[in-house]
Amino acid sequence: MKGNEAFAEAAIRAGADGYFGYPITPQSEVMEYLMAEKPEERTGMVVLQAESEVAAINMVYGGAACGKRVLTSSSSPGISLKQEGISYIAGAELPCVILNVVRGGPGLGTIQPSQSDYFQSTKGGGHGDYRMIVLAPSSVQEMADFAGLGFDLAFKYRNPVLVLSDGAIGQMMEKVELEEQRPRFTEEEIIQNTPWATTGKPKTRERNIITSLDLDSGRQELHNIALQAKYKEIEKNETRYEAIQCDDADYLIVAYGTSARLSQKAIDILRAEGIKVGLLRPITLFPFPTEIISKLAGQVKGILTVEMSAGQMIEDVRLAVGCKVKVEHFGRMGGIIPSPTEVVEAMHKKIIGG
Amino acid sequence: MTKEEIRQPENLIYKKTDLMTDNTLSYCPGCGHGTAHRIVMEVLEEMGIQDKTIGIAPVGCSVLAYDFMNIDMQQAAHGRAPAVATAVKRLHPEKFVFTYQGDGDLAAIGTAETIHACNRGENIVIIFINNGIYGMTGGQMAPTTLPGMKSSTSPYGRDVHSMGNPLKITELIAQLPGTIYVTRQAVHTPGNVRKTKKAIRKAFENQKLNKGLSFVEIVSNCNSGWKMTPVKANEWMVENMFPFYPLGDIKVNED
Ligand SMILES: Cc1ncc(C[n+]2csc(CCOP(=O)(O)OP(=O)(O)O)c2C)c(N)n1
Ligand code: SF4
């Protein structure tokens, strides 16, 4: 299956109640697949093509506020438009899953894969102090897995979850194992699991209000403090990464998604040359695997981050490493995927020889 | 007679609906928002659908509508209420869903969301308060500001050549096949309040019958934004707003 299709199928199977989207390359297959699958007949899931990304994310807001499992997908320029809604969703503490199949920017840019939305994804993106849980798949299997995991995390923390993919993973075909169909929540389950949701006020409870507004600065600060405490909790519990050949490593590459895949090839070449290089692949970009990178920094002689951007994640790596070892970046921009040999060259030039 | 004596049950001919909370309204005295709120809530009470209704509040003076309406409510981003309501209704077809929006919300930043929700014929009710101005942010020009009308961003009066023409969004959306009931009302006199209430009732009855989108515009005042006393503002509204925004049904699709 294609990465985008695997994500769409996994969303149906994760018991999603609604998808709201707007076409943009390279992720349109998500909605195309969903429309073709007639999930309304399969599970009762609603799929709607909105008039814009702005409308789509606000539909997600409305659906999530009802305690429903809702999702959307887009690519970079569309995600920029969605930032307004994402900030409101974070402010109102609503659970949802958002897929960004990143393409090269800034502006209209290119439709080829890129990783240049890292800052936007991990540092807030919209207005206000907020964070999303950011999952970075590096395979079609993970595209599928992260739909369900995304919903689980989103509901556990009442927080938006972003799946940060790119055009390469969205478009590539791989074998994939899908989870069994999960039942959609019943009305009773929703009322029980999400007692805060707007499901219609019975006489027996106070009205439920979903809002991100509090005109009282004192209370607004308290709300912010509570959000920050939640993000700390997420950092404590949900940091995910993969450490490949790190045990004996003298050097380290830190890379996620597509960059991690090609870095692994680069490491094979370097190891064949007798240079022991390991790969640390963050799976969650927020929370960032700071601790393990800091630990590995005490072991290795240098770190290269490989990102299809001008170097964005490198800032988080440098924060984790402090001044322990040299950290350099290698990447290509504008939708170009670097080749493993380019990574090998960069490793020699910037880290080993430099 | 003391207040307590007057408030005896036998003297009561009219009381506040339980669907309005006891919170003090945040609106300026004389503003139409309060009356509009009350009649929407009265309709929900009379229809007995409090427990089945989800309201969407806008950005604008009525941003705090959920403080006053005793029902489940969501507060939407500026202009996005029709998109929010679309999803709520699609995911809860058996619930009653309405948006409550001002002209800046509905006819400026949210034009796209408004037109497309109407055009899709979402089975919801849109209540649209047209006071010809941005009240909350301090009386700036709205899409519905009249030609020559002064506002803080059209201090010499709206010049249609440089500032564009007022937008008759209600007439515009009446053209769309998705809307089945489009009407323009007012709440400045008891008679008009009754007519508006009837219109709102009809709108919710339409939703009950799965007919499609009902749109109730309420031409209202913004005495603060217009810099007039409440009485003067209502007089000005009758004289200037009603000729441009004539009251009455614009579209009634009975089938
Ligand atoms: C994205 C965004 N832009 C601007 C604002 C500022 N703003 C708040 S209320 C408002 C105008 C609302 O006017 P209207 O809808 O006519 O409602 P009224 O206050 O007159 O009832 C504006 C521009 C905002 N909150 N969000
Ligand atoms: S500013 Fe205008 S619209 Fe807002 S409450 Fe006052 S009178 Fe009403």
Side-chain angles (χ1 to χ4, degrees):
Chain A
M1 273 182 124
K2 250 190 186 185
N4 288 333
E5 294 168 350
F7 180 82
E9 175 60 32
I12 303 176
R13 292 180 183 227
D17 297 300
Y19 170 93
F20 305 93
Y22 186 81
I24 181 171
T25 310
Q27 64 78 50
S28 296
E29 295 87 0
V30 176
M31 199 189 338
E32 285 167 357
Y33 181 92
L34 287 173
M35 286 293 188
E37 267 306 300
K38 297 191 178 160
E40 193 112 40
E41 285 170 21
R42 266 176 65 179
T43 66
M45 176 187 178
V46 170
V47 184
L48 184 63
Q49 178 168 341
E51 65 270 29
S52 68
E53 286 87 352
V54 178
I57 193 71
N58 282 283
M59 289 172 183
V60 167
Y61 177 98
C66 295
K68 302 274 184 179
R69 276 191 208 151
V70 285
L71 76 155
T72 185
S73 65
S74 192
S75 181
S76 309
I79 295 288
S80 293
L81 280 176
K82 287 193 160 103
Q83 293 301 341
E84 173 194 63
I86 294 173
S87 166
Y88 276 71
I89 287 169
E93 293 192 82
L94 298 174
C96 70
V97 174
I98 302 154
L99 169 67
N100 183 3
V101 184
V102 182
R103 60 190 238 181
L108 199 47
T110 163
I111 58 170
Q112 301 302 328
S114 169
Q115 295 182 319
S116 49
D117 293 357
Y118 180 91
F119 283 153
Q120 191 199 43
S121 312
T122 59
K123 310 294 179 196
H127 59 285
D129 263 326
Y130 75 89
R131 298 291 181 136
M132 286 186 278
I133 298 170
V134 183
L135 299 169
S138 72
S139 63
V140 174
Q141 183 64 52
E142 282 187 334
M143 282 291 273
D145 294 346
F146 291 176
L149 175 64
F151 277 124
D152 293 341
L153 293 172
F155 275 81
K156 182 170 174 193
Y157 295 100
R158 278 187 67 176
N159 208 67
V161 171
L162 182 83
V163 178
L164 188 68
S165 179
D166 66 49
I169 295 164
Q171 296 294 330
M172 88 176 45
M173 297 253 262
E174 280 180 330
K175 274 209 185 117
V176 54
E177 258 180 60
L178 295 159
E179 71 170 325
E180 293 291 305
Q181 179 67 51
R182 292 194 221 174
R184 287 174 54 227
F185 286 134
T186 62
E187 226 30 54
E188 293 68 41
E189 283 169 333
I190 287 176
I191 289 168
Q192 204 170 35
N193 300 343
T194 53
W196 46 264
T198 54
T199 47
K201 177 203 172 309
K203 292 248 177 326
T204 45
R205 71 155 160 81
E206 272 296 296
R207 65 192 193 285
N208 280 342
I209 293 161
I210 299 297
T211 182
S212 60
L213 171 79
D214 199 331
L215 293 170
D216 181 287
S217 299
R219 282 198 308 257
Q220 191 59 255
E221 186 180 42
L222 288 178
H223 176 55
N224 269 280
I225 290 170
L227 286 178
Q228 294 304 319
K230 175 170 84 173
Y231 304 146
K232 278 270 165 305
E233 191 66 20
I234 293 172
E235 282 179 0
K236 211 175 77 197
N237 302 337
E238 308 300 344
T239 307
R240 289 168 163 78
Y241 60 84
E242 197 183 4
I244 302 162
Q245 293 176 287
C246 285
D247 290 346
D248 66 344
D250 293 326
Y251 298 96
L252 186 68
I253 290 178
V254 183
Y256 67 94
T258 299
S259 295
R261 290 176 74 113
L262 63 95
S263 293
Q264 215 168 328
K265 294 224 176 72
I267 286 169
D268 292 344
I269 300 171
L270 286 160
R271 288 224 168 220
E273 290 174 11
I275 302 160
K276 290 182 195 155
V277 186
L279 173 68
L280 192 284
R281 175 172 81 91
I283 294 173
T284 49
L285 299 178
F286 180 85
F288 193 69
T290 304
E291 226 169 275
I292 178 73
I293 291 174
S294 166
K295 206 177 115 212
L296 288 169
Q299 169 194 326
V300 299
K301 291 180 228 155
I303 299 176
L304 185 72
T305 74
V306 180
E307 307 172 67
M308 282 138 58
S309 73
Q312 299 191 7
M313 179 187 65
I314 188 170
E315 295 191 3
D316 287 331
V317 176
R318 282 198 172 130
L319 275 175
V321 167
C323 300
K324 278 188 221 159
V325 289
K326 181 170 166 179
V327 182
E328 294 291 339
H329 161 264
F330 173 72
R332 298 288 302 268
M333 292 177 281
I336 294 176
I337 302 177
S339 71
T341 49
E342 283 178 313
V343 176
V344 170
E345 269 167 41
M347 194 71 190
H348 277 297
K349 219 168 89 193
K350 295 187 170 192
I351 301 294
I352 301 167
Chain B
M1 257 204 254
T2 65
K3 251 197 246 166
E4 282 64 38
E5 281 166 345
I6 294 170
R7 285 182 185 161
Q8 289 310 303
E10 61 271 23
N11 294 334
L12 269 184
I13 49 162
Y14 188 74
K15 73 173 184 51
K16 174 177 86 66
T17 162
D18 288 339
L19 268 56
M20 286 294 285
T21 64
D22 290 330
N23 294 334
T24 308
L25 289 176
S26 50
Y27 304 110
C28 307
C31 173
H33 269 306
T35 315
H37 276 26
R38 199 193 68 205
I39 54 181
V40 177
M41 289 303 106
E42 283 177 358
V43 166
L44 299 184
E45 186 186 32
E46 286 163 21
M47 290 177 71
I49 55 173
Q50 175 191 26
D51 59 337
K52 293 195 198 70
T53 304
I54 297 159
I56 317 294
V59 163
C61 281
S62 46
V63 67
L64 290 170
Y66 53 78
D67 269 357
F68 316 123
M69 300 179 173
N70 192 14
I71 53 169
D72 277 2
M73 286 196 80
Q74 303 181 11
Q75 196 280 316
H78 199 23
R80 318 298 175 217
V84 172
T86 293
V88 173
K89 185 68 188 184
R90 293 274 180 137
L91 292 163
H92 274 307
E94 75 294 354
K95 302 265 157 74
F96 290 83
V97 180
F98 74 93
T99 72
Y100 184 101
Q101 303 173 259
D103 45 78
D105 193 82
L106 181 143
I109 192 168
T111 319
E113 285 78 6
T114 302
I115 292 202
H116 287 280
C118 289
N119 197 44
R120 284 191 302 264
E122 299 297 338
N123 186 30
I124 59 173
V125 174
I126 294 181
I127 314 269
F128 166 43
I129 309 296
N130 177 9
N131 55 19
I133 208 161
Y134 288 8
M136 185 184 223
T137 39
Q140 293 85 6
M141 185 177 71
T144 49
T145 300
L146 297 175
M149 185 173 163
K150 282 185 182 164
S151 75
S152 70
T153 51
S154 57
Y156 308 108
R158 181 180 193 148
D159 169 19
V160 293
H161 297 295
S162 62
M163 298 168 179
N165 296 287
L167 183 62
K168 292 190 178 178
I169 185 97
T170 305
E171 275 82 351
L172 202 76
I173 63 118
Q175 310 284 319
L176 306 173
T179 55
I180 56 130
Y181 178 48
V182 180
T183 186
R184 184 183 283 125
Q185 303 291 337
V187 291
H188 63 304
T189 65
N192 284 94
V193 168
R194 271 196 292 275
K195 277 193 203 158
T196 306
K197 191 169 159 186
K198 243 176 96 181
I200 292 171
R201 172 88 191 214
K202 187 177 171 68
F204 279 97
E205 295 289 352
N206 284 339
Q207 186 170 164
K208 195 173 178 176
L209 298 171
N210 285 318
K211 281 184 155 184
L213 195 138
S214 299
F215 190 97
V216 182
E217 172 178 342
I218 301 174
V219 182
S220 187
N221 63 2
C222 174
N223 40 293
S224 294
W226 298 355
K227 301 201 180 347
M228 293 173 197
T229 62
V231 173
K232 186 84 192 69
N234 279 340
E235 284 168 8
W236 191 89
M237 177 175 73
V238 174
E239 253 168 63
N240 299 281
M241 294 280 279
F242 290 176
F244 201 86
Y245 299 111
L247 305 189
D249 289 345
I250 296 166
K251 179 179 186 179
V252 186
N253 200 342
E254 289 299 354
D255 32 76

